[in-house]
Amino acid sequence: MQIFKKKNALIHCLSLLKEKNKLIGFVPTMGALHKGHQSLVKNSIENNDVTVVSIFVNPTQFNNPDDLKKYPKTLKEDLELLENIGCDFVFIPTVEEIYAQAVVSKSYSFDGIENQMEGKFRKGHFDGVATIVQAFFEIIKPDTSYFGEKDFQQLQVVKKLTEKENIPVKVIGCPIYRENDGLAMSSRNIRLSKEQRSEAPFIYQTLKKVVGFAKTKSVKDMYEFVKNEFATTSLELEYFTIAEENTLAEVSEINFDKKNRAFIAVNIGGIRLIDNISL
Ligand code: AMP
């Protein structure tokens, strides 16, 4: 496994492989890798000749400075994990290497997808995500990139980004990887106290109940149900939304001819956890 800190060295190495028509798969991450990340990397390894993983905590997608400061960093373990599963290249640039001039986002419009849910609660978040993903796509020029459905809205934003900016990269969504008790794996889970960790599976348990109700209860009743469920816990419900998968527009009634998903964001003692489920 080769580690790159400088983009020009990576660009040079990849250009030699591209001349030989090698397929390049790319998995962007912010590190503190877990089995969810691992499933994306494995998917890339199985379907490409060369897999590039980036580890970069992108400052422009954090609207909360404290969240950025406390973002877990486990580089040594990350590199071991990547080496063990057969990753080829790891790209670990500094902030200066990526944002030479100024640490700012570009402004994008993604037909409103970016304004729903996470977009409402994390102002500027998707501009930051799109800025870094576009920068990485320009450096790596992968054939295919892999994103988790755990961040479903991000996945849809990245698909829109490639469409709008005419970027010839295939974007593949990978299923959410969960702990045995159902909690969606997340780098932020490391920060949960023992007590918070034991409460967190309630998020997925509630989502599963919603799936059970989808054919019998109205959307309004499901919203009410979720609100009441969380009111009995110390988990603070930030949003619960049922939306159509492609537009991410909130629905007032479920149309089963379309794909719908329930999305949730919860705050546990300053740690934000998100999850979603297909209805
Ligand atoms: P992050 O390091 O949190 O930016 O995540 C990097 C990629 O891994 C993103 O595409 C995430 O959606 C994906 N990912 C994170 N957690 C999971 C999970 N539990 N299951 C599947 N994919 C995930």
Side-chain angles (χ1 to χ4, degrees), residues 27-31 33-37 39-40 61 71 146-151 154 174-178 184-188:
V27 183
T29 82
M30 298 202 296
L33 302 182
H34 50 65
K35 288 189 180 142
H37 297 112
S39 67
L40 270 56
Q61 71 189 67
Y71 201 84
Y146 298 83
F147 289 81
E149 288 183 348
K150 156 87 181 355
D151 302 279
Q154 168 174 278
C174 304
I176 303 176
Y177 208 95
R178 299 181 180 279
M185 289 202 179
S186 162
S187 304
R188 289 185 176 87

